[in-house]
């Protein structure tokens, strides 16, 4: 199983009225140090695959078709191996980040730790 975490944000240069409203509210509450606020979406998906390449392609398609309006929004996502029945995975064992501005992975992080399958 792979967990995808998707972050969708308004593109730079596109007006963000919701962000402006949050900034104004924070200022009215005494948080004057906030110079800019931008509002976006955070989405978690659990995918029934262990293939990172397949997961990357599928999540990109989901973002392009539904999760982000690519005319005015950017997206990025992280793919992370998760535990399966009968086995365990170090949550940081395998992680990949992808941005909508890039056709390839921005970074692939393989941290120390073992990927265990089937309780081995």
């Amino acid at each position: 199983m792979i967990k995808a975490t998707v972050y969708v944000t308004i593109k730079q240069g596109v007006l963000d009225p919701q962000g402006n409203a949050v900034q104004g509210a924070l200022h009215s509450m005494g948080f004057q140090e906030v110079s800019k606020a931008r509002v976006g979406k955070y989405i978690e998906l659990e995918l029934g695959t262990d293939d990172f390449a397949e997961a990357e392609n599928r999540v990109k398609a989901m973002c392009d078709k539904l999760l982000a309006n690519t005319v005015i929004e950017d997206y990025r996502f992280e793919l992370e191996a998760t535990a399966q029945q009968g086995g365990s995975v170090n949550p940081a064992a395998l992680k990949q980040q992808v941005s909508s501005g890039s056709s390839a992975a921005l970074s692939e992080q393989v941290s120390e730790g073992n990927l265990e399958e089937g309780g081995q």
Side-chain angles (χ1 to χ4, degrees):
M1 299 281 290
I2 294 177
K3 175 184 166 188
T5 305
V6 181
Y7 304 91
V8 181
T9 56
I10 299 288
K11 288 183 177 183
Q12 293 298 325
V14 175
L15 293 177
D16 184 1
Q18 196 173 8
N20 291 341
V22 168
Q23 179 185 356
L26 288 169
H27 283 182
S28 70
M29 297 172 76
F31 298 103
Q32 301 302 321
E33 65 273 19
V34 177
S35 61
K36 187 175 188 178
R38 305 212 25 106
V39 174
K41 297 181 271 191
Y42 170 85
I43 304 158
E44 287 185 357
L45 306 168
E46 288 197 20
L47 308 173
T49 182
D50 291 323
D51 182 341
F52 269 76
E54 177 187 359
E56 180 179 341
N57 290 335
R58 299 295 286 166
V59 173
K60 277 184 186 178
M62 291 176 204
C63 290
D64 289 335
K65 291 180 180 182
L66 176 69
L67 302 178
N69 177 349
T70 57
V71 173
I72 62 169
E73 295 175 319
D74 286 324
Y75 66 84
R76 68 180 173 86
F77 60 87
E78 300 169 356
L79 300 176
E80 185 175 343
T82 60
Q84 297 181 17
Q85 287 185 339
S88 64
V89 173
N90 178 344
L94 211 47
K95 193 171 190 178
Q96 183 177 11
Q97 293 184 8
V98 179
S99 172
S100 61
S102 168
S103 62
L106 288 179
S107 68
E108 189 169 328
Q109 303 169 354
V110 179
S111 67
E112 295 177 18
N114 296 322
L115 178 63
E116 298 176 13
E117 294 181 341
Q120 298 175 1

